[in-house]
Amino acid sequence: MESNDICEKKYAKVKPDAYEEKKTVKRRLTDYAAITVAAMIYAAGVSLFIDPANLAPGGLTGIAIITSHLTGLETGTLIFVLNVPIMLLGLWKFGLRFMVSTLYCVALTSVFTNLLAPFGAATDDILLAALAGGTLTAVSIGVVFKCGATTGGTDIIIKLLRRRFPHLRTGALFMLTDVCIVSISAVVFKNLNAALYAAIAVAVTSVVLDLVLYGKDSAKMIYIISDRSEAITTRILEELDIGVTYMNGVGAYSGKEKKVIFCVMRKALAPRVEQVVKEEDPEAFMIISSAAEIYGEGYKSYFSERL
């Protein structure tokens, strides 16, 4: 009987650890599968749209395209070579585990870029090339970031900057670093139009990247000051299932105490809240503003890494 109890205790102790290990392995395999697909998407954006149109929309890829134009070397090969010193910096700052996935992504991106290059341009329209290339590269970078890796190059530098300045958004940082490279491309290619189209690709990448990383997190914050705060709150809670917080307020002129209703919701629900307030108290004072990032139940987790 005693030996059975010991076995059960050992089994109970080992089983969760084995389950967690299996779960971790499965998650890593899923991440690497996603990185593989993302690398293919990135390479397609570069080889089929950006590179054939002589666009250098920033990043180390932009530098590789410019260098390829000057030297005749393959863009994919240059992407890998130029990444080596930056990956060594990443190894120092982020550790081996992070850099293994990044090295895997960079290597695949380089290989796929060279493999797809012979297919040539997917479109002769330079504007479509800028839009499609910018969108594809942004989607791939976002997916890779979510898997805990990067596509190398300025991604690593930007991840370092995000640690130092967490209030800055990833897309905005990419845009800042890319402006310099786009400006250089105008000189190298001796084509201002190509540089302007590259700038369009940079803008598209910035917007799409933030959308991929942060989703449609943009929400509405509403403050409501009303004599019928309880009736409004009841309807918001029951009809819209939106959390409500009361804040105590005092009118500076009247000295009258009031309950200020504060609530945060998805954009789509904001008009319905406005309608409730309008029906319950047309004289209510209401302030509506936007919230870029929301953490907590129903939104993003506090424990997820800021990208």
Coordinates of all heavy atoms in Angstrom, one line a residue, residues 120-211:
G120 N 11.5 36.5 -61.9 CA 11.4 37.9 -62.3 C 10.2 38.6 -61.7 O 9.6 38.1 -60.7
A121 N 9.9 39.8 -62.3 CA 8.8 40.6 -61.7 C 7.4 40.0 -61.9 O 7.1 39.5 -63.0 CB 8.9 42.0 -62.3
A122 N 6.7 40.1 -60.8 CA 5.3 39.6 -60.9 C 4.4 40.6 -61.5 O 3.3 40.3 -62.0 CB 4.8 39.2 -59.5
T123 N 4.8 41.9 -61.6 CA 4.0 42.9 -62.2 C 4.9 44.0 -62.7 O 6.0 44.3 -62.2 CB 3.0 43.6 -61.2 OG1 2.3 44.7 -61.8 CG2 3.8 44.1 -59.9
D124 N 4.5 44.7 -63.8 CA 5.3 45.8 -64.4 C 4.9 47.1 -63.8 O 5.5 48.1 -64.1 CB 5.1 45.8 -65.9 CG 5.7 44.6 -66.6 OD1 6.7 44.0 -66.1 OD2 5.1 44.1 -67.6
D125 N 3.8 47.1 -63.0 CA 3.3 48.4 -62.4 C 4.1 48.6 -61.1 O 4.0 47.8 -60.2 CB 1.8 48.2 -62.1 CG 1.2 49.6 -61.7 OD1 1.8 50.3 -60.9 OD2 0.1 49.9 -62.1
I126 N 4.9 49.7 -61.1 CA 5.8 49.9 -60.0 C 5.0 50.2 -58.7 O 5.4 49.9 -57.6 CB 6.8 51.1 -60.3 CG1 7.8 51.1 -59.2 CG2 6.1 52.4 -60.5 CD1 9.0 52.0 -59.6
L127 N 3.8 50.9 -58.8 CA 3.0 51.2 -57.7 C 2.4 49.9 -57.1 O 2.5 49.7 -55.8 CB 1.8 52.1 -58.1 CG 0.8 52.4 -56.9 CD1 1.5 53.1 -55.8 CD2 -0.3 53.3 -57.5
L128 N 1.9 49.0 -57.9 CA 1.5 47.7 -57.4 C 2.6 46.9 -56.8 O 2.4 46.2 -55.7 CB 0.8 46.9 -58.5 CG -0.5 47.4 -59.1 CD1 -0.9 46.5 -60.3 CD2 -1.6 47.4 -58.0
A129 N 3.8 47.0 -57.3 CA 4.9 46.3 -56.7 C 5.2 46.9 -55.4 O 5.5 46.1 -54.4 CB 6.2 46.5 -57.7
A130 N 5.2 48.2 -55.2 CA 5.4 48.8 -53.9 C 4.4 48.4 -52.9 O 4.7 48.1 -51.7 CB 5.4 50.3 -54.0
L131 N 3.1 48.4 -53.3 CA 2.0 48.0 -52.4 C 2.1 46.5 -52.0 O 2.0 46.2 -50.8 CB 0.6 48.3 -53.0 CG 0.3 49.8 -53.3 CD1 -1.0 49.9 -54.0 CD2 0.3 50.6 -52.0
A132 N 2.2 45.7 -53.0 CA 2.3 44.2 -52.7 C 3.5 43.8 -51.9 O 3.5 43.1 -51.0 CB 2.2 43.4 -54.0
G133 N 4.7 44.4 -52.3 CA 5.9 44.1 -51.7 C 5.9 44.5 -50.2 O 6.3 43.8 -49.3
G134 N 5.4 45.8 -50.0 CA 5.4 46.3 -48.6 C 4.4 45.5 -47.7 O 4.7 45.2 -46.6
T135 N 3.3 45.1 -48.3 CA 2.3 44.3 -47.5 C 2.9 42.9 -47.2 O 2.8 42.4 -46.0 CB 1.0 44.1 -48.3 OG1 0.5 45.4 -48.6 CG2 0.0 43.3 -47.6
L136 N 3.5 42.2 -48.2 CA 4.0 40.9 -47.9 C 5.1 40.9 -46.9 O 5.2 40.0 -46.0 CB 4.5 40.3 -49.3 CG 3.4 39.9 -50.3 CD1 4.1 39.4 -51.6 CD2 2.5 38.8 -49.7
T137 N 6.1 41.8 -47.0 CA 7.2 41.9 -46.1 C 6.7 42.2 -44.7 O 7.2 41.7 -43.7 CB 8.2 42.9 -46.5 OG1 7.6 44.1 -46.7 CG2 8.9 42.4 -47.8
A138 N 5.7 43.1 -44.6 CA 5.1 43.5 -43.3 C 4.5 42.3 -42.6 O 4.7 42.0 -41.4 CB 4.2 44.6 -43.4
V139 N 3.7 41.5 -43.3 CA 3.0 40.4 -42.8 C 4.0 39.4 -42.3 O 3.9 38.8 -41.2 CB 2.0 39.7 -43.8 CG1 1.5 38.4 -43.3 CG2 0.9 40.7 -44.1
S140 N 5.0 39.1 -43.1 CA 6.0 38.1 -42.7 C 6.8 38.5 -41.4 O 7.0 37.7 -40.5 CB 7.0 37.8 -43.8 OG 7.7 39.0 -44.2
I141 N 7.2 39.8 -41.4 CA 7.9 40.3 -40.2 C 7.0 40.2 -39.0 O 7.5 39.8 -37.9 CB 8.4 41.8 -40.4 CG1 9.4 41.9 -41.5 CG2 8.9 42.4 -39.1 CD1 9.7 43.3 -41.9
G142 N 5.8 40.6 -39.1 CA 4.9 40.5 -37.9 C 4.7 39.0 -37.4 O 4.7 38.8 -36.2
V143 N 4.6 38.1 -38.4 CA 4.5 36.7 -38.0 C 5.7 36.2 -37.3 O 5.7 35.5 -36.2 CB 4.2 35.8 -39.2 CG1 4.3 34.3 -38.8 CG2 2.8 36.1 -39.8
V144 N 6.9 36.6 -37.8 CA 8.2 36.2 -37.2 C 8.3 36.8 -35.8 O 8.8 36.1 -34.9 CB 9.3 36.6 -38.1 CG1 10.7 36.4 -37.4 CG2 9.3 35.8 -39.4
F145 N 8.0 38.0 -35.7 CA 8.1 38.7 -34.4 C 7.2 38.0 -33.3 O 7.6 37.8 -32.2 CB 7.6 40.2 -34.5 CG 8.8 41.1 -34.7 CD1 9.8 40.8 -35.5 CD2 8.8 42.3 -34.1 CE1 10.9 41.6 -35.7 CE2 9.9 43.2 -34.2 CZ 10.9 42.9 -35.1
K146 N 6.0 37.6 -33.8 CA 5.1 36.9 -32.9 C 5.6 35.5 -32.5 O 5.2 35.0 -31.4 CB 3.7 36.8 -33.5 CG 2.9 38.1 -33.5 CD 1.5 37.8 -33.8 CE 0.6 39.1 -33.6 NZ -0.8 38.8 -33.8
C147 N 6.5 35.0 -33.3 CA 7.1 33.6 -32.9 C 8.3 33.8 -32.1 O 9.0 32.8 -31.8 CB 7.4 32.9 -34.2 SG 6.0 32.4 -35.2
G148 N 8.6 35.0 -31.7 CA 9.8 35.3 -30.8 C 11.1 35.4 -31.5 O 12.2 35.3 -30.9
A149 N 11.1 35.6 -32.8 CA 12.3 35.7 -33.6 C 12.3 37.0 -34.4 O 11.4 37.8 -34.1 CB 12.5 34.5 -34.6
T150 N 13.2 37.2 -35.3 CA 13.2 38.4 -36.2 C 13.7 37.9 -37.5 O 14.2 36.8 -37.7 CB 14.2 39.5 -35.7 OG1 15.5 39.1 -36.0 CG2 14.0 39.8 -34.2
T151 N 13.5 38.8 -38.5 CA 14.0 38.5 -39.9 C 15.5 39.0 -40.0 O 16.0 39.1 -41.1 CB 13.1 39.1 -41.0 OG1 13.0 40.5 -40.7 CG2 11.8 38.4 -41.0
G152 N 16.1 39.3 -38.9 CA 17.4 39.8 -38.9 C 17.5 41.3 -39.2 O 16.5 42.0 -39.2
G153 N 18.7 41.8 -39.5 CA 18.9 43.2 -40.0 C 18.4 44.2 -38.9 O 18.6 44.0 -37.7
T154 N 17.7 45.2 -39.4 CA 17.2 46.2 -38.5 C 16.2 45.7 -37.5 O 15.9 46.4 -36.5 CB 16.7 47.4 -39.3 OG1 15.7 46.9 -40.2 CG2 17.8 48.1 -40.1
D155 N 15.6 44.5 -37.8 CA 14.6 44.0 -36.8 C 15.3 43.8 -35.5 O 14.7 44.2 -34.4 CB 14.2 42.6 -37.3 CG 13.4 42.6 -38.6 OD1 13.4 43.7 -39.2 OD2 12.8 41.6 -38.9
I156 N 16.6 43.4 -35.4 CA 17.3 43.2 -34.2 C 17.6 44.5 -33.5 O 17.4 44.7 -32.3 CB 18.6 42.4 -34.4 CG1 18.2 41.0 -34.9 CG2 19.4 42.3 -33.2 CD1 19.5 40.2 -35.3
I157 N 18.0 45.5 -34.3 CA 18.3 46.8 -33.8 C 17.0 47.4 -33.2 O 17.0 48.0 -32.1 CB 18.9 47.7 -34.9 CG1 20.2 47.1 -35.4 CG2 19.0 49.1 -34.4 CD1 20.8 47.8 -36.6
I158 N 15.9 47.2 -33.9 CA 14.6 47.8 -33.5 C 14.1 47.1 -32.2 O 13.6 47.7 -31.3 CB 13.6 47.8 -34.6 CG1 13.9 48.8 -35.6 CG2 12.1 47.9 -34.1 CD1 13.1 48.7 -36.9
K159 N 14.4 45.8 -32.1 CA 14.0 45.1 -30.9 C 14.8 45.6 -29.7 O 14.3 45.7 -28.6 CB 14.2 43.6 -31.1 CG 13.4 42.7 -30.1 CD 13.5 41.3 -30.5 CE 12.7 40.4 -29.6 NZ 11.2 40.6 -29.7
L160 N 16.1 46.0 -29.9 CA 16.9 46.6 -28.9 C 16.4 47.9 -28.5 O 16.3 48.3 -27.3 CB 18.3 46.7 -29.4 CG 19.1 45.4 -29.4 CD1 20.5 45.6 -30.2 CD2 19.4 44.8 -28.0
L161 N 16.0 48.7 -29.5 CA 15.4 50.0 -29.2 C 14.1 49.9 -28.5 O 13.8 50.8 -27.6 CB 15.2 50.8 -30.6 CG 16.4 51.3 -31.3 CD1 16.1 51.9 -32.6 CD2 17.2 52.3 -30.4
R162 N 13.3 48.9 -28.8 CA 12.0 48.7 -28.1 C 12.3 48.4 -26.6 O 11.5 48.8 -25.7 CB 11.2 47.6 -28.7 CG 10.5 47.9 -30.0 CD 9.3 48.7 -29.7 NE 8.3 47.9 -29.1 CZ 7.2 48.3 -28.5 NH1 7.0 49.6 -28.4 NH2 6.3 47.5 -27.9
R163 N 13.4 47.8 -26.3 CA 13.7 47.5 -24.9 C 14.0 48.8 -24.2 O 13.7 49.0 -23.0 CB 14.9 46.6 -24.8 CG 14.5 45.1 -25.0 CD 15.7 44.2 -24.6 NE 15.4 42.8 -24.6 CZ 16.2 41.9 -24.2 NH1 17.4 42.1 -23.8 NH2 15.8 40.6 -24.2
R164 N 14.7 49.7 -24.9 CA 15.2 51.0 -24.3 C 14.0 52.0 -24.3 O 13.9 52.8 -23.4 CB 16.3 51.5 -25.1 CG 16.9 52.8 -24.6 CD 17.6 52.6 -23.2 NE 18.1 53.9 -22.7 CZ 17.4 54.8 -22.1 NH1 16.2 54.6 -21.9 NH2 18.0 55.9 -21.7
F165 N 13.2 52.0 -25.4 CA 12.1 52.9 -25.5 C 10.8 52.2 -25.7 O 10.3 52.2 -26.9 CB 12.3 53.9 -26.6 CG 13.7 54.6 -26.5 CD1 14.7 54.3 -27.3 CD2 13.9 55.6 -25.6 CE1 16.0 54.9 -27.2 CE2 15.1 56.3 -25.5 CZ 16.1 55.9 -26.3
P166 N 10.2 51.5 -24.7 CA 9.0 50.7 -24.9 C 7.8 51.4 -25.4 O 6.8 50.8 -25.9 CB 8.8 50.0 -23.6 CG 9.5 50.9 -22.6 CD 10.7 51.5 -23.3
H167 N 7.8 52.7 -25.2 CA 6.6 53.5 -25.6 C 6.5 53.7 -27.1 O 5.5 54.1 -27.7 CB 6.6 54.9 -24.9 CG 7.8 55.7 -25.2 ND1 9.0 55.5 -24.6 CD2 8.0 56.7 -26.0 CE1 9.9 56.3 -25.0 NE2 9.3 57.1 -25.9
L168 N 7.6 53.5 -27.8 CA 7.7 53.7 -29.3 C 7.2 52.4 -30.0 O 7.5 51.3 -29.6 CB 9.1 54.0 -29.8 CG 9.7 55.3 -29.3 CD1 11.2 55.4 -29.8 CD2 8.9 56.5 -29.7
R169 N 6.3 52.6 -31.0 CA 5.8 51.4 -31.7 C 6.7 50.9 -32.8 O 7.5 51.7 -33.4 CB 4.5 51.8 -32.4 CG 3.3 51.9 -31.4 CD 2.0 51.9 -32.1 NE 0.9 51.5 -31.2 CZ -0.1 50.7 -31.5 NH1 -0.2 50.3 -32.8 NH2 -1.0 50.4 -30.7
T170 N 6.7 49.6 -33.0 CA 7.6 48.9 -33.9 C 7.5 49.5 -35.3 O 8.5 49.8 -35.9 CB 7.3 47.4 -33.9 OG1 7.4 46.9 -32.6 CG2 8.3 46.7 -34.8
G171 N 6.3 49.7 -35.8 CA 6.1 50.2 -37.2 C 6.8 51.6 -37.3 O 7.4 51.9 -38.3
A172 N 6.6 52.4 -36.3 CA 7.2 53.8 -36.4 C 8.7 53.8 -36.4 O 9.3 54.5 -37.1 CB 6.7 54.6 -35.2
L173 N 9.3 52.8 -35.6 CA 10.7 52.7 -35.6 C 11.3 52.2 -36.9 O 12.3 52.7 -37.4 CB 11.2 51.8 -34.5 CG 11.0 52.3 -33.0 CD1 11.3 51.2 -32.1 CD2 12.0 53.4 -32.8
F174 N 10.6 51.3 -37.5 CA 11.0 50.9 -38.9 C 10.9 52.0 -39.9 O 11.8 52.2 -40.7 CB 10.0 49.7 -39.4 CG 10.5 48.4 -39.0 CD1 9.8 47.6 -38.1 CD2 11.6 47.8 -39.6 CE1 10.2 46.3 -37.8 CE2 12.0 46.5 -39.3 CZ 11.3 45.8 -38.4
M175 N 9.9 52.8 -39.8 CA 9.8 54.0 -40.7 C 11.0 54.9 -40.6 O 11.6 55.4 -41.6 CB 8.5 54.7 -40.5 CG 8.3 55.8 -41.5 SD 6.6 56.6 -41.4 CE 5.7 55.3 -42.3
L176 N 11.4 55.2 -39.3 CA 12.5 56.1 -39.1 C 13.8 55.6 -39.7 O 14.5 56.3 -40.3 CB 12.6 56.3 -37.6 CG 11.5 57.2 -36.9 CD1 11.8 57.2 -35.4 CD2 11.6 58.6 -37.4
T177 N 14.1 54.3 -39.5 CA 15.3 53.8 -40.0 C 15.3 53.6 -41.5 O 16.3 53.7 -42.2 CB 15.6 52.4 -39.4 OG1 14.5 51.5 -39.6 CG2 15.8 52.5 -37.9
D178 N 14.1 53.4 -42.0 CA 14.0 53.2 -43.5 C 14.1 54.5 -44.3 O 14.5 54.4 -45.5 CB 12.6 52.5 -43.8 CG 12.6 51.1 -43.3 OD1 13.6 50.6 -42.9 OD2 11.5 50.5 -43.2
V179 N 13.7 55.6 -43.7 CA 13.8 56.9 -44.5 C 15.2 57.1 -45.0 O 15.4 57.5 -46.2 CB 13.3 58.0 -43.6 CG1 13.7 59.4 -44.2 CG2 11.8 58.0 -43.4
C180 N 16.2 56.8 -44.2 CA 17.6 57.1 -44.6 C 18.0 56.2 -45.8 O 18.6 56.7 -46.7 CB 18.5 56.8 -43.4 SG 18.3 57.9 -42.0
I181 N 17.6 54.9 -45.7 CA 18.0 54.0 -46.8 C 17.2 54.3 -48.1 O 17.8 54.2 -49.2 CB 17.6 52.5 -46.3 CG1 18.5 52.2 -45.1 CG2 17.9 51.5 -47.5 CD1 18.1 50.9 -44.4
V182 N 16.0 54.7 -48.0 CA 15.2 55.2 -49.2 C 15.9 56.4 -49.8 O 16.0 56.5 -51.0 CB 13.8 55.5 -48.8 CG1 13.1 56.2 -50.0 CG2 13.0 54.3 -48.4
S183 N 16.4 57.3 -49.0 CA 17.1 58.5 -49.5 C 18.4 58.1 -50.3 O 18.7 58.6 -51.3 CB 17.4 59.4 -48.4 OG 16.3 59.8 -47.7
I184 N 19.1 57.1 -49.7 CA 20.3 56.6 -50.4 C 20.0 56.0 -51.7 O 20.7 56.1 -52.7 CB 21.1 55.6 -49.5 CG1 21.6 56.4 -48.2 CG2 22.2 55.0 -50.2 CD1 22.1 55.5 -47.2
S185 N 18.9 55.2 -51.8 CA 18.5 54.5 -53.0 C 18.2 55.5 -54.1 O 18.4 55.2 -55.3 CB 17.2 53.7 -52.8 OG 16.1 54.4 -52.6
A186 N 17.7 56.7 -53.8 CA 17.4 57.7 -54.8 C 18.7 58.1 -55.5 O 18.7 58.4 -56.7 CB 16.7 58.9 -54.2
V187 N 19.8 58.2 -54.7 CA 21.1 58.6 -55.3 C 21.7 57.4 -56.1 O 22.2 57.6 -57.2 CB 22.0 59.0 -54.2 CG1 23.4 59.3 -54.7 CG2 21.5 60.2 -53.4
V188 N 21.6 56.2 -55.6 CA 22.3 55.1 -56.2 C 21.6 54.7 -57.5 O 22.2 54.5 -58.6 CB 22.3 53.9 -55.3 CG1 22.8 52.6 -56.0 CG2 23.2 54.1 -54.1
F189 N 20.2 54.7 -57.5 CA 19.5 54.3 -58.7 C 19.3 55.5 -59.6 O 18.8 55.3 -60.7 CB 18.1 53.7 -58.3 CG 18.2 52.4 -57.6 CD1 17.6 52.2 -56.4 CD2 18.8 51.3 -58.2 CE1 17.7 51.0 -55.7 CE2 18.9 50.1 -57.6 CZ 18.3 49.9 -56.3
K190 N 19.6 56.7 -59.1 CA 19.5 57.9 -59.9 C 18.0 58.0 -60.4 O 17.8 58.4 -61.6 CB 20.5 58.0 -61.1 CG 21.9 58.0 -60.6 CD 22.9 58.0 -61.8 CE 24.3 57.9 -61.3 NZ 25.3 57.9 -62.4
N191 N 17.1 57.7 -59.5 CA 15.7 57.7 -59.9 C 14.9 58.2 -58.7 O 14.6 57.4 -57.8 CB 15.3 56.3 -60.4 CG 13.9 56.3 -61.0 OD1 13.1 57.2 -60.7 ND2 13.6 55.3 -61.8
L192 N 14.4 59.4 -58.7 CA 13.6 59.9 -57.6 C 12.3 59.2 -57.5 O 11.8 59.0 -56.4 CB 13.4 61.4 -57.8 CG 12.6 62.1 -56.7 CD1 13.3 61.9 -55.3 CD2 12.5 63.6 -57.0
N193 N 11.7 58.9 -58.7 CA 10.4 58.2 -58.7 C 10.5 56.9 -58.0 O 9.6 56.5 -57.2 CB 9.9 58.0 -60.1 CG 9.4 59.3 -60.8 OD1 9.1 60.3 -60.1 ND2 9.4 59.3 -62.1
A194 N 11.5 56.1 -58.2 CA 11.7 54.8 -57.6 C 11.8 55.0 -56.1 O 11.3 54.2 -55.3 CB 12.9 54.1 -58.1
A195 N 12.5 56.1 -55.6 CA 12.6 56.3 -54.2 C 11.3 56.7 -53.6 O 11.0 56.3 -52.5 CB 13.7 57.4 -54.0
L196 N 10.5 57.4 -54.3 CA 9.2 57.8 -53.8 C 8.2 56.6 -53.7 O 7.5 56.5 -52.8 CB 8.5 58.9 -54.7 CG 9.2 60.2 -54.7 CD1 8.6 61.2 -55.7 CD2 9.1 60.9 -53.3
Y197 N 8.3 55.7 -54.7 CA 7.6 54.5 -54.6 C 8.1 53.6 -53.5 O 7.3 52.9 -52.8 CB 7.6 53.7 -56.0 CG 6.7 54.3 -57.0 CD1 7.2 54.8 -58.2 CD2 5.3 54.3 -56.8 CE1 6.4 55.3 -59.2 CE2 4.5 54.8 -57.8 CZ 5.0 55.3 -59.0 OH 4.2 55.8 -59.9
A198 N 9.4 53.6 -53.3 CA 9.9 52.8 -52.1 C 9.4 53.4 -50.8 O 9.1 52.7 -49.9 CB 11.4 52.9 -52.2
A199 N 9.2 54.7 -50.8 CA 8.7 55.4 -49.6 C 7.2 54.9 -49.3 O 6.8 54.7 -48.2 CB 8.7 56.9 -49.7
I200 N 6.5 54.7 -50.4 CA 5.1 54.2 -50.3 C 5.2 52.8 -49.7 O 4.4 52.4 -48.8 CB 4.4 54.2 -51.7 CG1 4.2 55.6 -52.2 CG2 3.1 53.4 -51.6 CD1 3.6 55.7 -53.6
A201 N 6.1 52.0 -50.2 CA 6.2 50.6 -49.7 C 6.6 50.7 -48.2 O 6.1 49.8 -47.4 CB 7.3 49.9 -50.4
V202 N 7.4 51.6 -47.8 CA 7.8 51.8 -46.3 C 6.5 52.1 -45.5 O 6.3 51.5 -44.4 CB 8.9 52.9 -46.2 CG1 9.0 53.2 -44.7 CG2 10.2 52.4 -46.7
A203 N 5.7 53.0 -46.0 CA 4.5 53.4 -45.3 C 3.5 52.3 -45.2 O 3.0 52.1 -44.1 CB 3.9 54.6 -46.0
V204 N 3.4 51.5 -46.3 CA 2.5 50.4 -46.2 C 3.0 49.3 -45.2 O 2.2 48.8 -44.4 CB 2.4 49.7 -47.6 CG1 1.7 48.4 -47.6 CG2 1.7 50.7 -48.6
T205 N 4.3 49.1 -45.2 CA 4.9 48.1 -44.3 C 4.7 48.6 -42.9 O 4.3 47.7 -42.0 CB 6.4 48.0 -44.5 OG1 6.7 47.6 -45.9 CG2 7.1 47.1 -43.5
S206 N 4.8 49.9 -42.6 CA 4.6 50.4 -41.2 C 3.2 50.2 -40.7 O 3.0 49.7 -39.6 CB 5.0 51.9 -41.2 OG 4.7 52.4 -39.9
V207 N 2.2 50.5 -41.6 CA 0.8 50.4 -41.2 C 0.4 48.9 -41.0 O -0.2 48.5 -40.0 CB -0.1 51.0 -42.2 CG1 -1.6 50.8 -42.0 CG2 0.2 52.6 -42.3
V208 N 0.8 48.1 -42.0 CA 0.4 46.7 -42.0 C 1.1 45.9 -40.8 O 0.5 45.1 -40.1 CB 0.7 46.0 -43.3 CG1 0.4 44.5 -43.2 CG2 -0.1 46.6 -44.4
L209 N 2.3 46.3 -40.6 CA 3.1 45.7 -39.5 C 2.4 45.9 -38.1 O 2.2 45.0 -37.3 CB 4.5 46.1 -39.4 CG 5.4 45.6 -38.4 CD1 5.5 44.0 -38.4 CD2 6.8 46.1 -38.4
D210 N 2.0 47.2 -37.9 CA 1.3 47.5 -36.6 C 0.0 46.7 -36.5 O -0.4 46.3 -35.4 CB 1.1 49.0 -36.5 CG 2.3 49.7 -36.0 OD1 3.2 49.1 -35.4 OD2 2.4 51.0 -36.1
L211 N -0.7 46.6 -37.7 CA -1.9 45.9 -37.7 C -1.7 44.4 -37.3 O -2.5 43.8 -36.6 CB -2.6 46.0 -39.0 CG -4.0 45.4 -39.2 CD1 -5.0 46.1 -38.2 CD2 -4.5 45.5 -40.6

